Amino acid sequence: MSVISADQLTKSYGKSRGIINLDLSVDEGEFFGFIGPNGAGKSTTIRTLLGLIYPTSGRAEIFGKDIVKQKKEILADVGYMPSEAFFYSGMSVREVIALSAKLRKADCGKEAEALCERLGLDTAKRVDELSLGNRKKVSVVCALQHKPKLCILDEPTSGLDPLIQKEFFDILKERHSEGATIFLSSHILSEIQKNCSRAAIIKGGRLIALDSMENLSKTNAKRVTLHGVKTVPAELGARNAETAGDCVSFLYSGDIKLLLSVAQKLPIYDMTVTEPGLDEIFMHYYDSDNRGSAKDGEKA
Amino acid sequence: MTVFAKELKQSVKAWCIWTGAISFLLFICIIMFPEMKNEMDDVSSVFANMGGFTAAFGMDKLSFGELMGFYGIECGNILGIGGGFFAALCGISALSSEEKEHTAEFLLTHPISRVSVLMQKLLSVLARVVMMNIVIVAVSLLSAAVVGETFDIQKLVLLHTAYLVMQIEIACVCFGISAFIRRGSIGIGLGLPLALYFMNIIRNISEQASFLKYITPYAYCDASEIISTSQADAGLLALGGVIAAVAAAAGFLKYVRKDIFS
């Protein structure tokens, strides 16, 4: 069963693009990654799904309910952590957390207390006095204290120190093991690769890939390193070439026979071909020179 | 009513400051009245030489020698400007402050409908305005008792009812505007009541500008007319009510479909 499904979801701001014809499906119980750099449309997608902004065309459902017409019912089972956390000036952390619980008409006292303790959050402080990291912690507690069925997290780790990041992902994994669906939007590829089973990549408001992490890693692009030369022959159409010492490394997605025939003619003494990491896959999709402009054909 | 309670709690400091300031000024004015009454002859001759200025503030129809007349002019101006500003600031910040301070994203990602948020916020604005007026009336009555004077209760009730409707109209218009804007709310909040107040002064000075009575709510709470005739203009009061309802409804319609960016 799909927890999130978007069908040709589009949001435009006048002449500016937001998201374009987004088709997205997140299954129940998934730990799903949503990857893209700043301005790609990640937050627009999330804000549209949460009903903060209205779609220009297309439709989407969460828990099988329409995001526009049944927003209130949907939000009762969603925990949302925004990329930037802002709270009402003058309130204490305790008051903000209690307000969030009251707005949900839920008694979350025990869970909130446990989360605050795990994250090392001082609830007596005023929110105006908090650092970015501590504001994020308040946001984590507000998003998770009611044990939502779906957690939507927009750049959740920015501002959190490594120890708290680890604790945060431990909490997410616990929630995931209890059956919650996690939708993690991030441009930090390592946290997506480490935690998610499937991911979507968004570029220029369009979804350019959606697949399991395993399949995304099986892109036909390879990281090729030639030892003994410092430049890549133009006929290979290499991307992301990097020179270090007496070798050159590049991403190659062409015919392997062409690579071998070109390499034979070069004064190389070694050659390695490896699977690229997620960051390289990301660059593969984002390379502006990418043939076929991000290859619609590779879209899942 | 979580949002209603939050709004009241968050605004309690501002409410105390505005209510305290207006009440204090009214108290000072009323305790000055006995002295003013004794110097009425001098005051009347001063006003007689002020021409259009006297008419602008309705001083040609009221007597400074009577408590209601004095209260209508002096205290009416304090309540008209102060109450108008307070109502405008409450209304204009009700919705726009959520976007300006980036808290709308927090509020609207909870399971609460926008209509409910709007209802509770509007109720909170109206509650603050009504509570301020209750305190002000109580302070006026107590102040008069302190100096051994008594109000004409019918005229006092009429006057304060008109001021309350005026403040509600301004609050609702600003509430409606608040749904359309994201920033710069303070300028509109201060500018609107000031513009409406001066429209009423112009209306008092020039007969050609009498049409302004359909625009400015200060027209139907003109103390000189209410106190001298012992009645308020029911038609203009009703028009004020309609304008308030239309403005609030426009705000509702806009906000339920508004894109909230942060």
Side-chain angles (χ1 to χ4, degrees):
Chain A
M1 180 198 160
S2 282
V3 166
I4 300 174
S5 63
D7 178 19
Q8 295 288 294
L9 193 65
T10 299
K11 176 65 189 176
S12 54
Y13 309 109
K15 289 176 184 173
S16 312
R17 64 119 188 106
I19 49 173
I20 305 158
N21 298 333
L22 205 79
D23 289 323
L24 182 69
S25 174
V26 178
D27 293 333
E28 189 175 359
E30 267 198 293
F31 208 129
F32 189 89
F34 196 47
I35 316 167
N38 296 332
K42 298 191 302 295
S43 293
T44 299
T45 305
I46 289 173
R47 287 190 173 137
T48 310
L49 290 172
L50 292 169
L52 288 168
I53 55 179
Y54 289 90
T56 310
S57 63
R59 66 189 306 274
E61 290 181 347
I62 293 180
F63 308 126
K65 294 170 183 164
D66 188 274
I67 57 162
V68 176
K69 294 174 188 160
Q70 293 165 288
K71 190 162 53 183
K72 191 178 162 186
E73 294 97 303
I74 290 169
L75 291 174
D77 289 318
V78 171
Y80 169 55
M81 191 178 163
S83 55
E84 289 178 86
F86 292 98
F87 305 104
Y88 296 104
S89 180
M91 280 189 173
S92 69
V93 170
R94 186 180 294 113
E95 286 171 331
V96 168
I97 293 169
L99 173 65
S100 179
K102 272 186 192 170
L103 286 167
R104 297 187 175 282
K105 296 183 173 69
D107 179 10
C108 315
K110 280 186 183 171
E111 190 58 31
E113 200 178 320
L115 286 167
C116 288
E117 199 172 316
R118 288 181 73 170
L119 296 168
L121 185 59
D122 181 357
T123 56
K125 276 196 171 178
R126 294 173 90 85
V127 286
D128 315 66
E129 298 167 3
L130 298 179
S131 63
L132 170 65
N134 280 323
R135 285 209 310 273
K136 282 280 199 179
K137 290 179 191 175
V138 179
S139 197
V140 172
V141 178
C142 291
L144 301 180
Q145 63 174 339
H146 58 294
K147 296 209 165 185
K149 291 179 188 167
L150 171 64
C151 302
I152 297 182
L153 313 160
D154 192 3
E155 308 283 359
T157 53
S158 61
L160 294 178
D161 67 53
L163 287 175
I164 297 296
Q165 282 189 28
K166 185 187 173 303
E167 190 63 41
F168 169 68
F169 277 110
D170 285 347
I171 295 168
L172 284 187
K173 282 171 191 164
E174 287 166 21
R175 294 298 171 89
H176 182 236
S177 68
E178 289 164 12
T181 306
I182 314 288
F183 184 90
L184 173 64
S185 167
S186 179
H187 58 238
I188 302 170
L189 304 169
S190 57
E191 62 187 29
I192 299 283
Q193 194 161 28
K194 198 173 165 186
N195 296 293
C196 299
S197 51
R198 275 206 316 154
I201 300 177
I202 187 169
K203 175 192 177 185
R206 291 180 189 275
L207 204 70
I208 54 173
L210 193 162
D211 213 329
S212 65
M213 293 308 301
E214 195 183 359
N215 285 343
L216 281 175
S217 302
K218 283 181 188 165
T219 172
N220 59 359
K222 307 286 181 193
R223 168 61 57 179
V224 177
T225 306
L226 300 175
H227 299 262
V229 291
K230 290 182 180 177
T231 54
V232 189
E235 62 261 43
L236 290 178
R239 302 182 310 281
N240 302 104
E242 292 165 11
T243 304
D246 68 342
C247 62
V248 64
S249 175
F250 56 92
L251 276 180
Y252 179 70
S253 53
D255 186 348
I256 197 73
K257 287 177 185 169
L258 174 65
L259 173 67
L260 293 173
S261 70
V262 171
Q264 271 183 338
K265 295 170 196 163
L266 296 173
I268 61 170
Y269 60 85
D270 197 3
M271 180 172 94
T272 57
V273 181
T274 57
E275 291 292 337
L278 186 61
D279 54 342
E280 291 194 304
I281 295 164
F282 187 76
M283 291 309 296
H284 161 72
Y285 284 110
Y286 265 79
D287 193 337
S288 58
D289 296 328
N290 199 353
R291 276 166 262 164
S293 184
K295 297 187 178 179
D296 286 340
E298 288 177 26
K299 190 171 161 182
Chain B
M1 297 298 275
T2 306
V3 175
F4 176 77
K6 175 202 75 84
E7 291 286 310
L8 287 188
K9 194 174 174 187
Q10 273 200 297
S11 58
V12 70
K13 198 171 165 185
W15 182 87
C16 287
I17 291 169
W18 277 92
T19 305
I22 294 171
S23 300
F24 178 71
L25 287 172
L26 292 180
F27 171 73
I28 295 292
C29 277
I30 292 170
I31 61 167
M32 279 167 55
F33 173 69
E35 190 184 342
M36 189 66 78
K37 192 164 67 173
N38 295 333
E39 294 170 8
M40 195 50 223
D41 290 344
D42 295 340
V43 173
S44 296
S45 62
V46 169
F47 287 158
N49 294 324
M50 288 168 72
F53 186 82
T54 315
F57 291 94
M59 293 184 290
D60 53 338
K61 295 177 188 169
L62 296 176
S63 167
F64 258 49
E66 295 167 12
L67 180 62
M68 272 318 297
F70 175 78
Y71 186 79
I73 295 167
E74 291 295 330
C75 300
N77 281 328
I78 293 167
L79 189 54
I81 297 173
F85 276 168
F86 177 71
L89 290 174
C90 286
I92 204 75
S93 61
L95 301 171
S96 60
S97 67
E98 294 277 358
E99 286 177 81
K100 189 179 172 189
E101 290 161 26
H102 309 287
T103 49
E105 192 171 32
F106 171 83
L107 179 63
L108 298 175
T109 50
H110 284 85
I112 181 166
S113 70
R114 289 200 193 182
V115 171
S116 177
V117 168
L118 285 160
M119 287 295 295
Q120 293 186 53
K121 280 184 172 271
L122 182 58
L123 274 178
S124 145
V125 170
L126 298 181
R128 277 176 274 165
V129 170
V130 170
M131 285 190 295
M132 186 183 80
N133 280 272
I134 290 170
V135 172
I136 284 168
V137 172
V139 168
S140 296
L141 289 169
L142 284 171
S143 305
V146 166
V147 295
E149 295 283 342
T150 50
F151 282 108
D152 178 329
I153 295 298
Q154 188 202 350
K155 289 178 180 177
L156 187 76
V157 169
L158 267 178
L159 188 64
H160 276 283
T161 304
Y163 273 115
L164 180 61
V165 175
M166 177 272 284
Q167 289 165 23
I168 288 173
E169 183 184 339
I170 289 177
C172 286
V173 168
C174 287
F175 183 86
I177 294 170
S178 183
F180 288 83
I181 58 172
R182 292 196 167 90
R183 281 172 178 76
S185 56
I186 299 297
I188 298 169
L190 294 176
L192 184 74
L194 204 61
L196 294 171
Y197 181 78
F198 281 112
M199 274 186 206
N200 191 49
I201 289 179
I202 294 165
R203 181 190 76 94
N204 281 342
I205 295 169
S206 165
E207 281 194 14
Q208 284 177 317
S210 64
F211 69 93
L212 289 173
K213 69 182 179 183
Y214 299 112
I215 299 172
T216 172
Y218 286 94
Y220 58 70
C221 52
D222 194 321
S224 61
E225 286 177 21
I226 292 173
I227 293 168
S228 61
T229 62
S230 291
Q231 58 183 11
D233 189 325
L236 289 181
L237 278 167
L239 179 64
V242 170
I243 291 172
V246 169
F252 268 61
L253 290 174
K254 171 65 184 174
Y255 201 74
V256 292
R257 293 294 304 171
K258 189 180 187 184
D259 284 339
I260 307 292
F261 294 104
S262 60

Coordinates of all heavy atoms in Angstrom, one line a residue, chain A residues 86-92 95-103 127, chain B residues 1-15 90 93-99 101-108 110 112 116-118 120-125 127-128 131 255:
Chain A
F86 N 11.2 27.3 13.3 CA 10.8 28.6 13.9 C 9.6 28.4 14.9 O 8.7 27.6 14.5 CB 10.4 29.6 12.9 CG 11.6 30.1 12.0 CD1 11.8 29.6 10.8 CD2 12.4 31.1 12.5 CE1 12.8 30.0 10.0 CE2 13.5 31.5 11.7 CZ 13.7 30.9 10.5
F87 N 9.7 29.0 16.0 CA 8.6 28.8 17.0 C 8.2 30.2 17.5 O 8.8 31.2 17.2 CB 9.1 27.9 18.2 CG 9.6 26.6 17.7 CD1 11.0 26.4 17.7 CD2 8.8 25.6 17.3 CE1 11.5 25.2 17.2 CE2 9.3 24.4 16.8 CZ 10.6 24.2 16.8
Y88 N 7.1 30.2 18.3 CA 6.6 31.5 18.8 C 7.5 32.1 19.8 O 7.9 31.5 20.8 CB 5.2 31.3 19.4 CG 4.2 30.8 18.4 CD1 3.8 29.5 18.3 CD2 3.7 31.7 17.4 CE1 2.9 29.1 17.3 CE2 2.8 31.3 16.4 CZ 2.4 30.0 16.4 OH 1.5 29.5 15.4
S89 N 7.9 33.3 19.5 CA 8.8 34.1 20.4 C 8.2 34.2 21.8 O 7.0 34.4 22.0 CB 9.0 35.5 19.7 OG 9.8 36.2 20.5
G90 N 9.1 34.1 22.7 CA 8.6 34.3 24.1 C 8.2 33.0 24.8 O 8.1 32.9 26.0
M91 N 8.0 31.9 24.0 CA 7.6 30.6 24.6 C 8.8 29.9 25.1 O 9.9 30.0 24.5 CB 6.9 29.8 23.6 CG 5.4 30.2 23.5 SD 4.6 28.9 22.5 CE 2.9 29.5 22.6
S92 N 8.6 29.0 26.1 CA 9.7 28.1 26.5 C 9.6 26.8 25.6 O 8.6 26.6 25.0 CB 9.6 27.7 28.0 OG 8.4 26.9 28.1
E95 N 6.7 24.8 26.6 CA 5.4 25.4 26.1 C 5.2 25.0 24.6 O 4.0 24.7 24.2 CB 5.3 26.9 26.3 CG 5.1 27.3 27.8 CD 5.3 28.7 28.1 OE1 6.1 29.4 27.3 OE2 4.7 29.3 29.0
V96 N 6.2 25.1 23.8 CA 6.1 24.8 22.4 C 5.7 23.4 22.2 O 4.8 23.0 21.4 CB 7.4 25.2 21.7 CG1 7.4 24.6 20.3 CG2 7.7 26.6 21.6
I97 N 6.4 22.5 22.9 CA 6.1 21.0 22.8 C 4.7 20.8 23.3 O 4.0 20.0 22.6 CB 7.2 20.2 23.6 CG1 8.5 20.4 22.9 CG2 6.8 18.8 23.7 CD1 9.7 19.8 23.8
A98 N 4.3 21.4 24.4 CA 2.9 21.2 24.9 C 1.9 21.8 23.9 O 0.8 21.2 23.7 CB 2.7 21.9 26.2
L99 N 2.2 22.9 23.3 CA 1.3 23.5 22.3 C 1.1 22.5 21.1 O 0.0 22.3 20.6 CB 1.9 24.8 21.8 CG 1.1 25.5 20.6 CD1 -0.3 25.9 21.0 CD2 1.8 26.7 20.1
S100 N 2.2 22.0 20.6 CA 2.2 21.0 19.5 C 1.3 19.8 19.9 O 0.4 19.4 19.1 CB 3.6 20.5 19.2 OG 3.5 19.6 18.1
A101 N 1.4 19.3 21.1 CA 0.6 18.2 21.6 C -0.9 18.6 21.7 O -1.8 17.8 21.2 CB 1.1 17.7 22.9
K102 N -1.1 19.8 22.2 CA -2.5 20.3 22.3 C -3.2 20.4 20.9 O -4.4 20.1 20.8 CB -2.6 21.6 23.0 CG -2.6 21.5 24.5 CD -2.8 22.9 25.1 CE -2.6 22.9 26.6 NZ -2.5 24.3 27.2
L103 N -2.4 20.9 20.0 CA -3.0 21.1 18.6 C -3.3 19.8 18.0 O -4.2 19.7 17.1 CB -2.0 21.8 17.7 CG -1.8 23.3 18.0 CD1 -0.5 23.9 17.3 CD2 -3.0 24.1 17.5
V127 N 12.6 29.6 23.6 CA 13.0 29.2 22.2 C 13.8 30.3 21.5 O 14.7 30.0 20.7 CB 11.8 28.9 21.3 CG1 11.2 27.5 21.7 CG2 10.7 29.9 21.4
Chain B
M1 N -10.0 25.1 21.3 CA -9.7 26.6 21.3 C -8.2 26.8 21.7 O -7.8 27.8 22.3 CB -10.6 27.3 22.3 CG -12.1 27.2 22.0 SD -12.4 28.1 20.4 CE -12.6 29.8 21.0
T2 N -7.3 25.9 21.2 CA -5.9 26.0 21.6 C -5.3 27.3 21.0 O -4.5 28.0 21.6 CB -5.2 24.8 21.1 OG1 -5.8 23.6 21.6 CG2 -3.7 24.7 21.5
V3 N -5.7 27.5 19.7 CA -5.1 28.7 19.0 C -5.6 30.0 19.7 O -4.8 30.9 19.9 CB -5.4 28.7 17.5 CG1 -4.9 30.0 16.9 CG2 -4.8 27.5 16.9
F4 N -6.9 30.0 20.1 CA -7.5 31.2 20.7 C -6.7 31.5 22.0 O -6.3 32.6 22.3 CB -8.9 30.9 21.0 CG -9.6 31.9 21.8 CD1 -10.1 33.1 21.2 CD2 -9.9 31.8 23.2 CE1 -10.7 34.1 21.9 CE2 -10.6 32.8 23.9 CZ -11.0 33.9 23.3
A5 N -6.5 30.4 22.8 CA -5.8 30.6 24.1 C -4.3 31.0 23.9 O -3.8 31.9 24.6 CB -5.8 29.3 24.9
K6 N -3.7 30.5 22.9 CA -2.3 30.8 22.6 C -2.2 32.3 22.2 O -1.3 33.0 22.6 CB -1.8 29.9 21.5 CG -0.4 30.3 21.0 CD -0.1 29.8 19.6 CE -0.7 30.6 18.5 NZ 0.0 31.8 18.0
E7 N -3.2 32.7 21.3 CA -3.2 34.1 20.9 C -3.3 35.1 22.0 O -2.6 36.1 22.1 CB -4.3 34.3 19.9 CG -4.1 33.6 18.5 CD -3.1 34.3 17.7 OE1 -3.1 35.5 17.5 OE2 -2.1 33.6 17.2
L8 N -4.3 34.8 22.9 CA -4.5 35.6 24.1 C -3.3 35.7 25.0 O -2.8 36.8 25.4 CB -5.7 35.1 24.9 CG -7.1 35.4 24.3 CD1 -8.2 35.0 25.3 CD2 -7.3 36.8 23.8
K9 N -2.7 34.5 25.2 CA -1.5 34.5 26.1 C -0.3 35.2 25.5 O 0.4 36.0 26.2 CB -1.1 33.0 26.3 CG -0.2 32.8 27.4 CD 0.1 31.3 27.7 CE 1.2 31.1 28.7 NZ 1.6 29.7 28.8
Q10 N -0.2 35.1 24.2 CA 1.0 35.8 23.5 C 0.8 37.3 23.5 O 1.8 38.0 23.5 CB 1.1 35.3 22.1 CG 2.0 34.0 22.0 CD 2.4 33.9 20.6 OE1 1.6 33.7 19.7 NE2 3.7 34.0 20.4
S11 N -0.5 37.7 23.5 CA -0.7 39.2 23.4 C -1.0 39.9 24.7 O -1.3 41.1 24.7 CB -1.8 39.4 22.4 OG -3.0 38.7 22.8
V12 N -0.9 39.1 25.8 CA -1.4 39.7 27.1 C -0.5 41.0 27.4 O -1.1 41.9 28.0 CB -1.4 38.6 28.2 CG1 0.0 38.2 28.6 CG2 -2.1 39.1 29.4
K13 N 0.8 40.9 27.1 CA 1.6 42.0 27.5 C 1.2 43.3 26.7 O 1.1 44.4 27.3 CB 3.1 41.7 27.2 CG 4.1 42.5 27.9 CD 5.5 41.9 27.6 CE 6.6 42.8 28.0 NZ 7.9 42.3 27.6
A14 N 1.1 43.1 25.4 CA 0.7 44.3 24.6 C -0.7 44.8 25.0 O -0.9 46.0 25.0 CB 0.7 43.9 23.1
W15 N -1.6 43.9 25.3 CA -2.9 44.3 25.7 C -2.9 45.1 27.0 O -3.5 46.2 27.1 CB -3.8 43.0 26.0 CG -5.2 43.4 26.4 CD1 -6.3 43.6 25.5 CD2 -5.7 43.5 27.7 NE1 -7.4 43.9 26.2 CE2 -7.1 43.9 27.6 CE3 -5.2 43.4 29.0 CZ2 -7.9 44.1 28.7 CZ3 -6.0 43.6 30.1 CH2 -7.4 44.0 29.9
C90 N -4.0 44.7 16.3 CA -4.4 43.3 16.6 C -4.8 42.6 15.3 O -4.4 41.5 15.1 CB -5.6 43.3 17.6 SG -5.2 43.8 19.3
S93 N -1.9 42.1 12.5 CA -0.8 41.1 12.8 C -1.3 39.7 13.0 O -0.6 38.7 13.1 CB -0.1 41.5 14.1 OG -1.0 41.6 15.2
A94 N -2.7 39.5 13.0 CA -3.3 38.2 13.4 C -2.7 37.1 12.4 O -2.4 36.0 12.9 CB -4.8 38.3 13.3
L95 N -2.7 37.4 11.2 CA -2.3 36.3 10.2 C -0.9 36.6 9.6 O -0.1 35.6 9.5 CB -3.3 36.2 9.1 CG -4.8 35.9 9.5 CD1 -5.7 36.1 8.3 CD2 -4.9 34.5 10.1
S96 N -0.7 37.8 9.3 CA 0.6 38.1 8.6 C 1.8 37.8 9.5 O 2.9 37.5 9.0 CB 0.7 39.6 8.1 OG 0.5 40.4 9.2
S97 N 1.6 38.0 10.9 CA 2.8 37.7 11.7 C 3.2 36.3 11.7 O 4.4 36.0 11.9 CB 2.4 38.1 13.2 OG 1.5 37.3 13.7
E98 N 2.3 35.4 11.4 CA 2.7 33.9 11.3 C 3.6 33.7 10.2 O 4.6 32.9 10.3 CB 1.4 33.1 11.1 CG 0.4 33.1 12.3 CD 0.8 32.1 13.4 OE1 1.8 31.4 13.2 OE2 0.1 32.1 14.4
E99 N 3.4 34.4 9.1 CA 4.3 34.3 7.9 C 5.6 35.1 8.1 O 6.7 34.6 7.8 CB 3.6 34.7 6.6 CG 2.6 33.6 6.2 CD 1.8 34.0 5.0 OE1 2.4 33.9 3.9 OE2 0.7 34.5 5.2
E101 N 7.1 35.8 10.9 CA 7.9 35.2 11.9 C 8.1 33.7 11.6 O 8.6 33.0 12.5 CB 7.4 35.4 13.3 CG 7.5 36.9 13.7 CD 6.6 37.3 14.9 OE1 6.2 36.4 15.6 OE2 6.2 38.5 14.9
H102 N 7.7 33.3 10.4 CA 7.9 31.9 10.0 C 7.3 30.8 10.9 O 7.8 29.7 10.9 CB 9.4 31.6 9.8 CG 10.1 32.7 9.0 ND1 10.0 32.8 7.6 CD2 11.0 33.6 9.4 CE1 10.7 33.8 7.2 NE2 11.3 34.3 8.3
T103 N 6.2 31.2 11.6 CA 5.6 30.2 12.5 C 4.4 29.5 11.8 O 3.9 28.6 12.4 CB 5.2 30.8 13.8 OG1 4.4 32.0 13.5 CG2 6.3 31.2 14.7
A104 N 4.0 30.0 10.6 CA 2.8 29.5 10.0 C 3.1 28.0 9.6 O 2.2 27.2 9.7 CB 2.5 30.2 8.7
E105 N 4.3 27.7 9.2 CA 4.6 26.3 8.9 C 4.4 25.4 10.1 O 3.9 24.2 9.9 CB 6.1 26.2 8.4 CG 6.5 24.9 7.7 CD 7.8 25.0 7.1 OE1 8.7 25.7 7.6 OE2 8.0 24.3 6.1
F106 N 4.8 25.8 11.3 CA 4.6 25.0 12.5 C 3.1 24.8 12.8 O 2.7 23.7 12.9 CB 5.3 25.8 13.7 CG 5.0 25.2 15.0 CD1 5.7 24.1 15.5 CD2 4.0 25.7 15.8 CE1 5.4 23.5 16.7 CE2 3.7 25.1 17.1 CZ 4.4 24.0 17.5
L107 N 2.4 25.9 12.7 CA 1.0 25.9 13.1 C 0.2 25.0 12.1 O -0.6 24.2 12.5 CB 0.4 27.3 13.1 CG -1.1 27.4 13.5 CD1 -1.4 26.9 14.8 CD2 -1.5 28.9 13.4
L108 N 0.4 25.3 10.8 CA -0.5 24.7 9.8 C -0.1 23.3 9.4 O -0.7 22.7 8.5 CB -0.6 25.6 8.5 CG -1.2 27.0 8.8 CD1 -1.1 27.8 7.6 CD2 -2.6 26.9 9.3
H110 N -0.1 21.1 11.7 CA -0.8 20.3 12.8 C -2.2 20.0 12.2 O -2.7 20.7 11.3 CB -0.8 21.1 14.1 CG 0.5 21.1 14.8 ND1 1.5 21.9 14.5 CD2 0.9 20.2 15.8 CE1 2.5 21.7 15.3 NE2 2.2 20.6 16.1
I112 N -5.2 20.8 12.2 CA -6.2 21.9 12.4 C -6.5 22.6 11.1 O -5.6 22.9 10.4 CB -5.7 22.9 13.5 CG1 -6.7 23.9 13.8 CG2 -4.4 23.5 13.1 CD1 -6.4 24.7 15.1
S116 N -10.6 26.9 11.1 CA -10.6 26.9 12.6 C -9.5 27.9 13.1 O -9.8 28.6 14.0 CB -10.3 25.5 13.1 OG -10.2 25.5 14.5
V117 N -8.4 27.9 12.4 CA -7.3 28.8 12.8 C -7.8 30.3 12.6 O -7.7 31.1 13.5 CB -6.0 28.6 11.9 CG1 -5.1 29.8 12.1 CG2 -5.4 27.3 12.3
L118 N -8.5 30.5 11.5 CA -9.0 31.9 11.2 C -10.1 32.2 12.3 O -10.0 33.4 12.8 CB -9.6 31.9 9.8 CG -8.6 31.9 8.7 CD1 -9.3 31.5 7.4 CD2 -8.1 33.3 8.5
Q120 N -10.5 31.1 15.3 CA -9.9 31.3 16.6 C -9.1 32.6 16.7 O -9.1 33.3 17.7 CB -9.1 30.1 17.0 CG -9.9 28.9 17.2 CD -9.1 27.7 17.8 OE1 -8.4 27.8 18.8 NE2 -9.2 26.6 17.1
K121 N -8.4 32.9 15.6 CA -7.6 34.2 15.6 C -8.5 35.4 15.6 O -8.3 36.4 16.3 CB -6.7 34.2 14.4 CG -5.4 33.3 14.7 CD -4.5 33.4 13.5 CE -3.1 32.8 13.8 NZ -2.2 33.7 14.5
L122 N -9.6 35.3 14.8 CA -10.5 36.5 14.8 C -11.2 36.7 16.1 O -11.3 37.8 16.6 CB -11.5 36.3 13.7 CG -12.6 37.4 13.5 CD1 -11.8 38.7 13.2 CD2 -13.5 37.1 12.3
L123 N -11.6 35.5 16.7 CA -12.2 35.6 18.1 C -11.3 36.2 19.1 O -11.7 37.0 19.9 CB -12.6 34.2 18.5 CG -14.0 33.7 18.1 CD1 -14.3 32.3 18.6 CD2 -15.1 34.7 18.6
S124 N -10.0 35.9 19.0 CA -9.0 36.4 19.9 C -8.9 37.9 19.7 O -8.8 38.6 20.7 CB -7.7 35.7 19.7 OG -6.6 36.5 19.9
V125 N -8.8 38.4 18.5 CA -8.7 39.8 18.2 C -10.0 40.5 18.8 O -9.8 41.5 19.5 CB -8.7 40.1 16.7 CG1 -8.8 41.6 16.4 CG2 -7.4 39.5 16.1
A127 N -11.9 39.5 21.2 CA -12.0 39.4 22.6 C -11.0 40.4 23.3 O -11.4 41.1 24.3 CB -11.5 38.0 23.0
R128 N -9.9 40.6 22.6 CA -9.0 41.6 23.2 C -9.5 43.0 23.1 O -9.4 43.8 24.0 CB -7.6 41.6 22.4 CG -6.7 40.5 22.9 CD -5.5 40.4 22.1 NE -5.7 39.6 20.9 CZ -4.9 39.5 19.9 NH1 -3.8 40.3 19.8 NH2 -5.1 38.7 18.9
M131 N -12.5 43.3 25.7 CA -11.9 43.3 27.1 C -11.3 44.7 27.3 O -11.5 45.2 28.4 CB -10.9 42.2 27.3 CG -11.6 40.8 27.5 SD -10.5 39.6 28.0 CE -9.3 39.4 26.7
Y255 N -7.3 33.4 2.8 CA -6.4 32.6 3.6 C -6.6 31.1 3.4 O -5.6 30.3 3.5 CB -6.5 32.9 5.1 CG -5.3 32.6 5.9 CD1 -4.1 33.4 5.8 CD2 -5.2 31.5 6.7 CE1 -3.0 33.0 6.5 CE2 -4.1 31.2 7.4 CZ -3.0 32.0 7.3 OH -1.8 31.6 8.0

